[in-house]
Amino acid sequence: MKKMMMALCLMPWVTGLAGCQEDQETVSATIHQQHVNAVEAFTEAARELESAVETLCQANTDDHLAASRSAWQVLMQDWMVLQGREKGSEAALALTWQIQFWPDKKDITGRKMEQLLAQNTHWNAALLADQSVAVQGAGAMEWLLYAHPERLQQPQGCELATAIGQRLTQSGEALMDAWKANPWQAMTPQLALGEYVGALTNQLDFAMKKLTLPMGKPGHPRPYQAESWRSQTSMRNLKANVQAMQSLYLAEGKGLDALLRAQGEAELADRIAGQFDSLLVSWPQSASMGALLKTRDGYRELIHIFNGMEYIRFALHDEVSPALGIVVGFNATDGD
């Protein structure tokens, strides 16, 4: 009976049913809680990174550098859950570039970091907040930890790294404030469902952009356009994106997968769930996209990933949306 009621909720002309409202609130609350959990994990990771960098600056050893790099990687993995969704809290979306400046096609991060280090300034989070977003987030910290760790042996480099760590923590805390309220709670069931599918398709499009930008044209890859190329963790990040999308699709048994099955679309639900599983099971061993771009076999692996993502994208657009009565609009990456 509950499955039948959930299916009826998708029909605009019966959205007034009390049971529909209850089911919609359950789905909305589940998706909201997923975001809250992700934001809490990211904020805790930012605090751990801030602490690790402060320790590194007090005693610059190989072990402390390794610990800071590890903390940075945890931060990035947690950020991948939220990256590219472009739905929900407007206040949270406004923090995106501040947390991660990407794509960075002209290496603005590197150039801005060099400029800051050339100034005779004692950097702190308040001063950094007035600078370019390119130097306030994860990419700036990566530049110091991986590309120029020697700068952390100098007082100014450590002051800047500490300020970036503090700024990331501030961004995480601002995210937590932004996600306190459920942005979908007051929406009609159909509008909320459209936002849910939109968050998934936006994140998928963003992930595909992360893949295709460095792939370039066959025979002419652009490895320095890859996300996190300095740390050689671009493939690890991309896998975290796919895992996050899979989690959003399933939503603890209360998400799109369940809605499709309630509509009698079990075969479609199985295909999408199976495609997520297939992508993750066959994921390349290399954490670096740059390494894969150097060989034909590696490039083929990236094409395989792209094809898998594209399959899910078409399924969401051409099959899921019509099945659930969702009007598909423009997304965050259209026009790029």
Side-chain angles (χ1 to χ4, degrees), residues 77 80-81 235-245:
Q77 292 284 289
M80 294 302 103
V81 178
M235 291 305 296
R236 185 179 300 165
N237 290 350
L238 191 60
K239 184 177 183 180
N241 285 141
V242 175
Q243 291 169 327
M245 288 184 280

Side-chain angles (χ1 to χ4, degrees), residues 3-302:
K3 285 188 176 181
M4 183 180 296
M5 189 70 74
M6 188 180 292
L8 289 173
C9 283
L10 303 175
M11 302 178 186
W13 56 87
V14 292
T15 54
L17 293 177
C20 290
Q21 185 64 32
E22 180 181 351
D23 280 326
Q24 171 54 34
E25 288 177 356
T26 299
V27 175
S28 173
T30 300
I31 302 305
H32 176 241
Q33 190 59 49
Q34 277 198 340
H35 284 77
V36 170
N37 293 344
V39 168
E40 288 177 347
F42 172 81
T43 305
E44 181 57 30
R47 291 171 180 150
E48 291 292 332
L49 176 59
E50 179 185 349
S51 176
V53 169
E54 288 177 354
T55 301
L56 172 63
C57 286
Q58 291 167 4
N60 196 311
T61 67
D62 289 343
D63 287 345
H64 288 137
L65 177 60
S68 294
R69 286 175 171 177
S70 178
W72 179 86
Q73 290 184 28
V74 171
L75 175 96
M76 286 299 290
Q77 292 284 289
D78 288 334
W79 174 240
M80 294 302 103
V81 178
L82 299 160
Q83 183 196 57
R85 288 188 177 173
E86 296 298 323
K87 293 290 183 180
S89 166
E90 291 296 325
L93 296 179
L95 296 165
T96 298
W97 285 98
Q98 182 174 309
I99 292 170
Q100 184 191 27
F101 185 79
W102 191 90
D104 186 4
K105 298 179 182 179
K106 298 180 180 179
D107 192 23
I108 294 174
T109 297
R111 290 191 286 111
K112 292 289 186 182
M113 289 293 286
E114 292 284 7
Q115 290 172 9
L116 294 192
L117 288 168
Q119 297 178 28
N120 186 23
T121 302
H122 295 291
W123 294 106
N124 56 44
L127 291 174
L128 197 64
D130 293 329
Q131 301 299 315
S132 165
V133 290
V135 297
Q136 296 184 36
M141 188 67 85
E142 181 193 24
W143 187 89
L144 281 167
L145 290 176
Y146 289 91
H148 297 282
E150 74 281 358
R151 298 299 187 102
L152 296 171
Q153 297 176 1
Q154 304 164 357
Q156 194 155 9
C158 266
E159 285 180 354
L160 183 54
T162 301
I164 295 169
Q166 293 170 349
R167 193 71 180 131
L168 280 165
T169 297
Q170 290 175 355
S171 296
E173 291 170 348
L175 273 181
M176 290 178 67
D177 288 339
W179 278 103
K180 282 181 179 177
N182 184 343
W184 305 293
Q185 191 170 18
M187 293 182 180
T188 64
Q190 200 71 2
L191 183 56
L193 182 59
E195 289 287 289
Y196 173 17
V197 176
L200 184 56
T201 54
N202 283 354
Q203 189 167 37
L204 181 58
D205 286 343
F206 193 86
M208 292 174 71
K209 181 176 180 178
K210 287 168 58 171
L211 186 62
T212 56
L213 190 60
M215 285 178 70
K217 297 179 180 179
H220 300 281
R222 297 176 292 186
Y224 295 114
Q225 296 299 317
E227 177 189 56
S228 302
W229 63 268
R230 293 183 176 94
S231 58
Q232 299 182 34
T233 55
S234 47
M235 291 305 296
R236 185 179 300 165
N237 290 350
L238 191 60
K239 184 177 183 180
N241 285 141
V242 175
Q243 291 169 327
M245 288 184 280
Q246 181 187 47
S247 179
L248 183 61
Y249 170 73
L250 296 172
E252 303 171 22
K254 302 171 185 176
L256 273 183
D257 187 79
L259 292 174
L260 287 170
R261 296 180 193 282
Q263 281 287 82
E265 298 286 351
E267 188 273 335
L268 174 57
D270 285 340
R271 279 193 283 116
I272 295 174
Q275 189 60 56
F276 275 119
D277 287 338
S278 178
L279 267 174
L280 293 170
V281 167
S282 61
W283 200 263
Q285 293 297 311
S286 175
S288 168
M289 190 179 296
L292 294 174
L293 290 170
K294 292 178 180 178
T295 68
R296 286 187 178 182
D297 287 344
Y299 199 89
R300 289 193 190 99
E301 287 190 87
L302 296 177

Side-chain angles (χ1 to χ4, degrees), residues 313-333:
R313 183 178 185 272
F314 281 130
L316 289 171
H317 187 282
D318 295 348
E319 297 184 83
V320 172
S321 294
L324 300 183
I326 300 169
V327 177
V328 179
F330 292 105
N331 61 51
T333 60

